[in-house]
Amino acid sequence: MNNSTEFSANQSGQNRPEIVSVSQLNRISRQLLETHLPLVWVEAEISNLARPSSGHWYFTLKDEQAQVRCAMFRNRNQSVRFAPENGNQVLIRARVSIYEGRGDYQLIAEHMEEAGLGALQRAYEALKGRLEREGLFAPEHKLPLPDQPQHIAVITSPTGAAIRDILSIAKRRYPSLPITVIPVPVQGEQAAPAIIQALQLAERCGWFDTIILARGGGSIEDLWAFNDERLARAIFQSTTPVISAVGHEIDFTIADFVADLRAPTPSAAAELSVPNTREILQQLRSRETVLAQQILNKLKHAHQRLEGLNQRLRHPGEKLRHQAQQLDQLEARLLQGISIPLKQQQTRQLQIQQRLTRATPQHTLRQLQREQTQLTDRLKQAMSVKLNTSRQTLHEHAHVLNSVSPLATLERGFSALTNDSGQLIKHHQQVSTGETLNARLGNGRLRCEVIASEE
């Protein structure tokens, strides 16, 4: 820059022009080009490609009407992700310069990519950034997958490997789960509209609680239908959870970011969406164990409460009958409290078993049913034995209390005297000669007249 400024001043400020050498002229020209021209993007065809032992690349970029020499030094070409060949259409970012030794006008390349791929990648990044700013990728918009799906739709090619993998894994994990395949093209210009139409059809019919978009791996051009903006907005508007299973684990499409869940492969989508019958059976066994423990705890609590009530039954007469009635009520509540939850759990277990009948081997189901019957019989037997024991204990306590009751004393030949007011006669001074008294015997009553009273 300093040389160019000095050259201009000398040329304009002196009568005799400044004489420069060829090397000076080329250096001044290179500095002017590199300083005043920004980085440029050039799309053209490679020709005359040379790779000397230094590691630098030298080639010519041409189109139908012109060509320009290019150099790409080793520290820059090491980041190129493909091996360029003559005839490749490329897109480069370069500085305009001059090779001083020959005075050749040339470009110094700093970045190179395949022209078609670069355009697609830029379009992909631009759409991804715009949709992300609109909030289509936000986690709060993601719908959760159902724990127990009832019907799954798979939108994919009916002849690809993706659908075979999904159906194979679903059959192994949950054979009775219905899966409907909605066939669509997954590549080409007609793919995106067909996928959108299939997605909207699956949404309108209301049969499905999970939708899987699936396709095998491929290049960015092969997967481009899943980068369609219309498809992204259709996925976002779906009220049914959508799983995107497009390509391999390293492939990412716009559909992956908008979907409620991204699966790295179609096989992984089947693993994530289809429940495992073995895990369901294990959960049922765990619930059965918990149910049995809860019943035992209730019985233990009821027994302790019954023992406490028995200890309080120590008073004769009317209170004994009151306590007996209260015990009957508690016993009825206990039976009701045990039978209702038991029936509810049995009903729930029966419903679950009916659902599993279509999905599990018959031998396993029969074995589980036999175990359930044995447990139920043992439970009923234990309840019957416990209730009989409690009734026997109650009768024994009642017999003991009856033996010490005043009524039993009357049965042995004694009587109780009361006046007409009902007052119990305990002393001879309480009565007068000629007064009529009531005598209560062990069996019946007598009306007695007092003839005389003595000390």
Side-chain angles (χ1 to χ4, degrees):
M1 183 65 187
N2 293 334
N3 290 334
S4 63
T5 304
E6 181 182 356
F7 176 71
S8 300
N10 288 338
Q11 194 167 11
S12 60
Q14 299 181 6
N15 294 328
R16 188 169 61 87
E18 179 73 19
I19 299 174
V20 296
S21 63
V22 174
S23 59
Q24 289 176 324
L25 177 63
N26 286 347
R27 183 171 63 254
I28 293 169
S29 300
R30 177 181 63 80
Q31 292 173 347
L32 285 173
L33 288 174
E34 293 180 353
T35 302
H36 293 285
L37 288 181
L39 288 172
V40 293
W41 287 87
V42 180
E43 183 176 348
E45 179 185 332
I46 291 180
S47 64
N48 302 322
L49 176 62
R51 298 186 182 92
S53 58
S54 62
H56 307 318
W57 293 350
Y58 301 98
F59 52 92
T60 300
L61 291 179
K62 66 178 184 178
D63 57 20
E64 296 178 354
Q65 298 179 350
Q67 64 182 16
V68 62
R69 293 180 180 274
C70 245
M72 192 170 194
F73 299 116
R74 182 174 59 184
N75 63 334
R76 293 293 186 177
N77 63 38
Q78 288 178 346
S79 62
V80 177
R81 299 183 179 180
F82 70 103
E85 300 291 343
N86 288 326
N88 287 159
Q89 195 77 10
V90 297
L91 179 68
I92 68 167
R93 186 180 69 240
R95 293 183 291 106
V96 181
S97 182
I98 291 180
Y99 178 57
E100 296 183 16
R102 291 193 302 268
D104 289 340
Y105 162 74
Q106 67 177 3
L107 298 179
I108 307 299
E110 296 186 353
H111 172 77
M112 178 186 295
E113 61 188 48
E114 294 179 274
L117 178 62
L120 290 179
Q121 188 66 30
R122 289 194 300 275
Y124 167 83
E125 295 295 341
L127 178 60
K128 178 174 177 289
R130 180 156 53 84
L131 296 182
E132 184 174 13
R133 288 190 295 272
E134 290 183 27
L136 270 67
F137 305 162
E140 57 267 22
H141 297 311
K142 306 296 184 185
L143 301 176
L145 298 183
D147 294 332
Q148 295 289 334
Q150 302 301 314
H151 200 166
I152 293 179
V154 181
I155 301 176
T156 187
S157 170
T159 60
I163 187 59
R164 293 197 298 271
D165 293 342
I166 291 175
L167 294 178
S168 174
I169 293 175
K171 184 178 180 181
R172 170 173 56 84
R173 290 174 64 88
Y174 204 144
S176 65
L177 178 65
I179 295 179
T180 298
V181 180
I182 304 179
V184 294
V186 292
Q187 185 174 337
E189 295 182 358
Q190 300 302 320
I195 296 171
I196 294 172
Q197 185 178 5
L199 183 63
Q200 293 172 345
L201 174 64
E203 177 78 8
R204 286 196 305 270
C205 71
W207 297 347
F208 312 108
D209 48 22
T210 304
I211 300 174
I212 299 177
L213 301 181
R215 189 205 189 284
S219 65
I220 188 172
E221 293 90 347
D222 297 335
L223 306 179
W224 193 251
F226 296 90
N227 293 322
D228 189 273
E229 180 177 357
R230 295 166 299 173
L231 176 58
R233 297 190 182 278
I235 295 173
F236 181 76
Q237 294 170 359
S238 174
T239 58
T240 303
V242 177
I243 301 176
S244 176
V246 179
H248 300 302
E249 188 170 356
I250 60 174
D251 298 323
F252 283 88
T253 65
I254 298 298
D256 292 332
F257 296 105
V258 183
D260 300 294
L261 180 66
R262 186 249 178 186
T265 61
S267 299
E271 296 280 353
L272 293 171
S273 60
V274 178
N276 194 332
T277 53
R278 294 182 180 178
E279 296 176 359
I280 295 175
L281 288 174
Q282 185 177 1
Q283 293 176 359
L284 284 176
R285 293 190 182 99
S286 299
R287 291 178 181 178
E288 184 179 20
T289 302
V290 172
L291 174 61
Q293 186 62 45
Q294 289 177 346
I295 292 175
L296 290 176
N297 292 338
K298 281 184 176 291
L299 287 174
K300 182 179 179 181
H301 177 71
H303 174 70
Q304 293 174 350
R305 189 170 184 181
L306 186 59
E307 288 294 332
L309 292 173
N310 287 334
Q311 293 175 2
R312 294 171 56 187
L313 292 175
R314 297 183 179 181
H315 299 283
E318 193 66 28
K319 189 165 186 178
L320 176 61
R321 290 190 294 272
H322 175 73
Q323 293 289 350
Q325 183 180 2
Q326 187 178 19
L327 180 60
D328 291 337
Q329 294 174 353
L330 291 173
E331 182 180 356
R333 289 172 56 189
L334 173 62
L335 292 175
Q336 184 180 10
I338 293 176
S339 61
I340 291 178
L342 180 60
K343 290 180 180 178
Q344 292 176 347
Q345 293 294 343
Q346 288 175 340
T347 301
R348 177 177 174 84
Q349 187 171 6
L350 180 60
Q351 292 173 351
I352 295 175
Q353 287 178 341
Q354 290 174 350
R355 290 173 58 190
L356 288 177
T357 299
R358 300 185 299 271
T360 58
Q362 293 297 325
H363 175 73
T364 303
L365 281 178
R366 287 195 296 269
Q367 182 178 358
L368 290 176
Q369 289 170 351
R370 286 195 298 270
E371 293 176 359
Q372 178 190 354
T373 302
Q374 293 173 358
L375 289 174
T376 303
D377 292 340
R378 288 169 57 190
L379 175 61
K380 291 180 178 179
Q381 183 178 2
M383 291 172 57
S384 177
V385 171
K386 189 60 183 177
L387 290 175
N388 290 335
T389 302
S390 299
R391 289 193 183 99
Q392 182 64 30
T393 302
L394 175 61
H395 294 157
E396 291 176 358
H397 290 175
H399 180 71
V400 172
L401 290 173
N402 189 54
S403 65
V404 297
S405 173
L407 298 178
T409 303
L410 297 178
E411 293 290 339
R412 293 197 296 271
F414 294 92
S415 64
L417 293 176
T418 59
N419 56 23
D420 290 338
S421 300
Q423 182 179 9
L424 184 64
I425 305 303
K426 297 181 180 180
H427 196 273
H428 72 94
Q429 294 179 351
Q430 292 181 253
V431 299
S432 303
T433 301
E435 184 178 354
T436 301
L437 301 178
N438 297 315
R440 180 173 180 179
L441 307 177
N443 184 7
R445 299 175 181 271
L446 296 177
R447 290 282 289 174
C448 305
E449 180 179 353
V450 179
I451 301 175
S453 65
E454 298 180 354
E455 181 66 33

